[in-house]
Amino acid sequence: MSDFGNSTETYTAYKHQDGTENNVYRRRNDNSYIITVKNKIIKIKSFKQVLNAFQEHQQVIKEYIDKNNLEMRNVEDVLQLLNYCFLILF
């Protein structure tokens, strides 16, 4: 678990199925996430914020969201999208 600022906000690292961690953290209380992109810590609560975090790839990310009918309320959808974003970033 990590503490990003406010001590009342506890985030848990997302682990891949193979047991490795990446740079995605999920808040326990709601669907907010902390990601690190290019050494910047960014809080994500909406797809719009995901698009802003990956500005140079906005169009392909929008297409991926639409093609896969992703929803921000669904944890697996968000993690799927963030994994995709990090794949195209690196």
Side-chain angles (χ1 to χ4, degrees):
M1 289 189 292
S2 295
D3 179 22
F4 293 97
N6 184 343
S7 62
T8 62
E9 294 186 10
T10 303
Y11 289 82
T12 304
Y14 165 68
K15 293 188 180 194
H16 290 284
Q17 289 179 349
D18 64 5
T20 59
E21 290 185 12
N22 62 10
N23 48 356
V24 176
Y25 296 84
R26 181 174 182 264
R27 187 171 172 195
R28 288 184 172 190
N29 309 31
D30 61 13
N31 280 350
S32 66
Y33 302 81
I34 295 287
I35 61 172
T36 54
V37 177
K38 299 180 182 177
N39 296 322
K40 292 182 185 177
I41 297 174
I42 302 169
K43 187 173 185 176
I44 301 291
K45 289 187 81 168
S46 68
F47 285 144
K48 183 177 179 180
Q49 290 172 325
V50 172
L51 294 172
N52 287 335
F54 299 93
Q55 291 182 358
E56 60 275 5
H57 303 288
Q58 283 188 354
Q59 187 58 42
V60 293
I61 293 170
K62 283 181 190 177
E63 291 170 5
Y64 186 83
I65 292 168
D66 292 341
K67 178 182 174 185
N68 293 285
N69 297 317
L70 302 181
E71 294 185 10
M72 194 68 189
R73 293 172 297 201
N74 185 323
V75 175
E76 292 301 317
D77 284 358
V78 176
L79 295 176
Q80 175 186 340
L81 175 63
L82 292 175
N83 283 334
Y84 175 76
C85 292
F86 285 114
L87 281 174
I88 62 173
L89 183 64
F90 298 109

